[in-house]
Amino acid sequence: MRAQLERDFERFKRELPRDFAAHVRDTYRIDLGARYLGFDLPHPVGKGSGQLSLSEEQLETDRAAGLAFVVLKTAIAEDPEGLRSMGAWAIHETRMKVERRRSVSGDEGWTVTWKGRGWDRSFEDYLSLVRAAADYTRAREIVAVPSIKYHLPRLDEPFRAAEYAHTTGQLAQAWGQEVLPLEKDFSPTLAGDTLAGERDQILRWLHEVPRQIRGAAPAAGVRLALKLMNARFDDPFQLEMLQAAAAADALIVFNRLWDPATGVAFGGYDLSERNLRVLGAAPWHDFTLPPLVGTGNVCSGRLILEYARLGCESVQLHTFFQLPLSEYPATGGSRPQRALHALVFDPKDGLIAGMLDLESEGSLERRAGELRFLDLSEANANRAH
């Protein structure tokens, strides 16, 4: 199998098979099947919300590349009059800057910085993109899910119910008759805002936002994922956030870190080290979590496996899809294709190599002759109970 992996790694540098997950299952007897917000996926790699998911052309590129899912750029909720309480987040994106960043522990990774925030076009334009996403999802080409930033009140303020009702209703209508899948984005820029300066205020949002969104949904209902930020507080508060958000259908853990000195969010190994440290502490606390999705410095198959072993059923990437072309071992294909080639087939740090190593050390066993990616997150859930 190791020799075959070396051959596949070289062979697929020029072009990745569209259904590479089927090839992995046939060749290595490894089932990469994963889950995101109730959707069964062929493998665990998806694209997080951002500048790389704001057009139908980008969706088509990701479908052709073989990504499992995409989260659309985060739009800003509005009420029936078009007023947006979080309108300050609808800032046009500046040019993204991809650069290396050395962590406190000395590991050198990558981060992307930009000054923009959410969707800055009309909400009607966003609904058009949601309709296209729904078509892709229904056709089982790729799962594509909208993302929204709703009103977040201060402790002494009520939620703006009209904003929740109008936005959720419009999204549901654009999506169609099925249950609406939706991410609520607690963005890293929120962590740098004075609005997120009080712990009780943040915990109130995490408790009540799911109820507000579900109460605003039409009869078909909503499946809700909360993308949690890294707050400006310590690790124990991150655990409090997990517990407060447990009513969601899924949690994306955790968004980028905030640098108050430069006023930008950042990633790299500082981010993944904190995220993994917090997730590693969660099973020792007396609360039950919904399904998890890992995010933060997902730059190798082995890091995907680290998130999986701490309960994550899939992962969202953003930075790794934007590296200079010279950083990918593949010599052909789009950036998403090149990223998948490295994440899955790298003979040292890819998903296949990592799962074979886990089998060799006795940490992962074959069932009916197969290694299963989801067995890793399920084993973590069993430990937690």
Side-chain angles (χ1 to χ4, degrees):
M1 284 189 179
R2 302 287 180 173
Q4 178 65 48
L5 183 55
E6 292 276 1
R7 289 193 294 271
D8 280 348
F9 179 65
E10 292 300 322
R11 181 160 60 114
F12 297 150
K13 281 183 176 180
R14 295 180 295 278
E15 184 177 12
L16 191 69
R18 174 66 179 87
D19 194 357
F20 67 85
H23 171 82
V24 171
R25 191 166 192 172
D26 292 342
T27 305
Y28 303 95
R29 306 307 298 160
I30 292 178
D31 179 0
L32 294 178
R35 282 191 293 264
Y36 163 70
L37 199 53
F39 291 101
D40 291 326
L41 307 173
H43 62 83
V45 182
K47 179 182 283 186
S49 174
Q51 277 298 93
L52 304 180
S53 53
L54 48 70
S55 71
E56 191 169 349
E57 291 76 20
Q58 289 171 320
L59 284 180
E60 175 56 28
T61 297
D62 294 337
R63 180 207 65 79
L67 287 185
F69 68 97
V70 173
V71 184
L72 305 183
K73 176 74 174 175
T74 300
I76 310 302
E78 60 182 47
D79 67 15
E81 283 71 47
L83 299 176
R84 299 178 293 182
S85 64
M86 307 295 280
W89 268 262
I91 298 175
H92 183 71
E93 302 283 355
T94 54
R95 184 178 178 84
M96 292 183 288
K97 184 178 182 181
V98 183
E99 55 192 343
R100 290 191 177 274
R101 184 180 181 101
R102 187 176 296 276
S103 71
V104 172
S105 62
D107 292 317
E108 191 171 82
W110 290 90
T111 188
V112 176
T113 56
W114 68 95
K115 294 289 186 178
R117 294 179 176 183
W119 180 268
D120 63 345
R121 306 174 200 169
S122 73
F123 192 54
E124 194 54 52
D125 284 346
Y126 192 75
L127 294 176
S128 296
L129 183 60
V130 170
R131 293 183 192 99
D135 289 341
Y136 275 110
T137 303
R138 274 191 290 271
R140 300 179 183 271
E141 295 283 347
I142 188 172
V143 173
V145 171
S147 172
I148 298 291
K149 190 184 296 295
Y150 290 90
H151 174 238
L152 297 173
R154 300 190 182 278
L155 272 173
D156 58 350
E157 294 177 342
F159 283 84
R160 297 190 183 181
E163 184 178 286
Y164 278 82
H166 177 74
T167 298
T168 309
Q170 290 292 300
L171 289 170
Q173 184 176 343
W175 187 262
Q177 298 302 311
E178 301 92 342
V179 174
L180 170 69
L182 180 64
E183 273 197 18
K184 163 64 183 88
D185 184 12
F186 289 93
S187 71
T189 51
L190 178 63
D193 194 272
T194 55
L195 193 61
E198 293 187 33
R199 299 180 186 223
D200 288 345
Q201 198 157 268
I202 295 172
L203 296 178
R204 179 197 177 197
W205 298 337
L206 297 177
H207 274 299
E208 296 190 27
V209 161
R211 180 171 58 83
Q212 293 288 331
I213 295 174
R214 290 185 178 124
V222 62
R223 281 204 308 269
L224 178 65
L226 299 183
K227 188 171 188 178
L228 303 185
M229 62 184 173
N230 270 291
R232 301 194 308 267
F233 306 112
D234 51 16
D235 288 5
F237 185 70
Q238 289 297 116
L239 292 167
E240 288 187 60
M241 289 173 63
L242 286 176
Q243 184 173 11
D249 297 300
L251 299 178
I252 295 89
V253 287
F254 296 95
N255 224 320
R256 299 193 301 162
L257 298 166
W258 179 256
D259 185 340
T262 59
V264 295
F266 67 93
Y269 281 96
D270 286 324
L271 174 58
S272 55
E273 287 167 9
R274 188 189 199 203
N275 288 358
L276 294 169
R277 186 173 66 241
V278 171
L279 292 176
W284 305 106
H285 293 74
D286 188 23
F287 56 85
T288 301
L289 291 174
L292 302 178
V293 180
T295 194
N297 192 41
V298 180
C299 57
S300 70
R302 289 193 184 274
L303 208 42
I304 294 173
L305 294 174
E306 288 191 53
Y307 276 107
R309 297 184 77 180
L310 294 174
C312 297
E313 297 183 339
S314 57
V315 292
Q316 292 185 9
L317 291 66
H318 196 265
T319 299
F320 197 66
F321 294 128
Q322 301 179 72
L323 304 186
L325 289 179
S326 59
E327 293 297 317
Y328 301 107
T331 56
S334 63
R335 274 186 171 82
Q337 283 178 312
R338 295 178 190 223
L340 285 169
H341 169 259
L343 292 170
V344 177
F345 291 99
D346 186 286
K348 179 184 176 186
D349 291 325
L351 264 176
I352 298 170
M355 291 181 70
L356 291 175
D357 284 349
L358 290 176
E359 180 187 24
S360 296
E361 67 185 42
S363 299
L364 184 61
E365 296 182 354
R366 293 184 182 266
R367 288 200 285 151
E370 289 187 336
L371 298 177
R372 297 177 66 247
F373 174 79
L374 282 175
D375 281 350
L376 295 169
S377 58
E378 289 167 5
N380 181 77
N382 291 335
R383 283 195 298 273
H385 293 98

